[in-house]
Amino acid sequence: MTPSNATGPRAAHALPSYLQADHLGPWGIFLQQVDRVTPYLGDLARWVETLKRPKRMLIVDVPILLDNGTVAHFEGYRVQHNTSRGPGKGGVRFHQDVTLSEVMALSAWMSIKNAAVNVPYGGAKGGIRVDPRQLSLGELERVTRRYTSEIGLIIGPTKDIPAPDVNTNEQVMAWMMDTYSMNVGETATGVVTGKPVDLGGSLGRRDATGRGVFTVGVEAARRIGLAVPGAAVAVQGLGNVGGVAARLFAEAGARVVAVQDHAGTVYREAGLDIPALLAHAAAHGSVAGFPGAEALASDAFWDVPCDILIPAALEQQITEANAGRLRARMVIEGANGPTTPLADDILRERGVLVLPDVIANAGGVTVSYFEWVQDFSSFFWSEEEINERLVKILKGALDTVWQVAEEHRVSLRTATFIVACHRILRARDLRGLYP
Ligand code: GLU
């Protein structure tokens, strides 16, 4: 006999199978994070199920002609997690391991992030399961254009606005903008952000995520009495986020002692020469083989003595397997979802401060918002103005969540989720159900 179970698959509110947590993947992690804040949501908790179900998900086939004359098919996704506070907003990543579950989690984290910094957006994310390193430039353009045409059904300047993410850049955004514009018959600059400055992009957007990581990090360091000059910093990922953050911390007098990327880990106790390391990585595709540094085994990165650790690569890097080993006082999450909930608990017990992704890397989408506003008004701001507004928003957001964390004695991540979920569900409640 099957026991009756209110949360079983037959219950009216049971999640569809593809939404159920496996407690291993990013979507499972997001569901756990929502469960942690539900007790703090008061009356709004009656809407919390909304967050556990993305509003709209599109899976598309992306066929392209390869240079060798054959046709290849890739799987593409665009997930709009929530649009209660405004249009969907979030990047597009090209990676061989992208899955629907991952894109669902990334879109949900965008909802939280956008609400946390109070930009008028919901959350969305897209991806193509492809290794762009295996494609020629022409093939990359064809993949991008076909994908954009396919998701053209649901994106648009007031509907859902993509942007760069892992392995996508200004050129990819230019192709996306052009493809969408050609299909609708007008130049629609506001359909994507992170575009080249010559095409309606914003000054400061390229560095914005890394600058945000640095800004939030410096502000948190001040609050815990950690001096940035002389502090030892370890960075995982030397892309658009980690590379900029490493440069800014080095310029502020910190010692960037270790950098890890997909192909190598380099270490120098006195501090790596970051401009030289960035030039080496640009020329060789990796930090591996950088002269003037010691090469470390990949796993040894987590044992490096440092004050600040910046994971700025992919999800689920800090887990229960290595959280007990970290030597840092503070973790600044440049990546989305780099720390699992179990690792979060271990770090909190050990007194390591975690600046969560949904605040720490929100600089990118904040300047995306500035770009979108500039595109709509066709009036462009100076870089100083942009950076000034960026710093103001991020410091204000950190201040708010810091207070909530102290008030409820919770982590900054839980505090950020409390603030963001309140904002999202308040909007949901005010709008009501229709039809
Ligand atoms: N992909 C970035 C993120 O994860 C930026 C998204 C955007 O600018 O829309 O926050």
Side-chain angles (χ1 to χ4, degrees), residues 89-91 110 113 125 161 163-165 193 205 336 361 364-365 368:
K89 182 86 191 85
M110 288 309 304
K113 190 187 304 187
K125 201 86 174 196
I161 306 110
D165 196 74
T193 57
R205 175 63 186 87
N336 289 309
N361 72 29
V365 75
S368 276

Side-chain angles (χ1 to χ4, degrees), residues 65-71 139:
L65 193 61
L66 296 178
D67 293 346
N68 67 13
T70 63
V71 175
E139 290 167 342

Side-chain angles (χ1 to χ4, degrees), residues 2 25 47 68 74 86 125 140 166 180 191 210 247 252 258 294 337 389 406 431:
T2 315
W47 288 110
N68 67 13
F74 302 99
K125 201 86 174 196
L140 185 68
V166 174
Y180 179 85
V191 68
R247 176 169 60 76
E294 199 184 315
R389 287 179 193 251
E406 280 181 350
R431 288 178 67 161

Side-chain angles (χ1 to χ4, degrees), residues 142-158:
R142 293 196 286 281
V143 164
T144 303
R145 288 187 181 278
R146 181 61 187 239
Y147 167 74
T148 307
S149 271
E150 294 296 339
I151 65 165
L153 292 171
I154 62 169
I155 63 169
T158 56

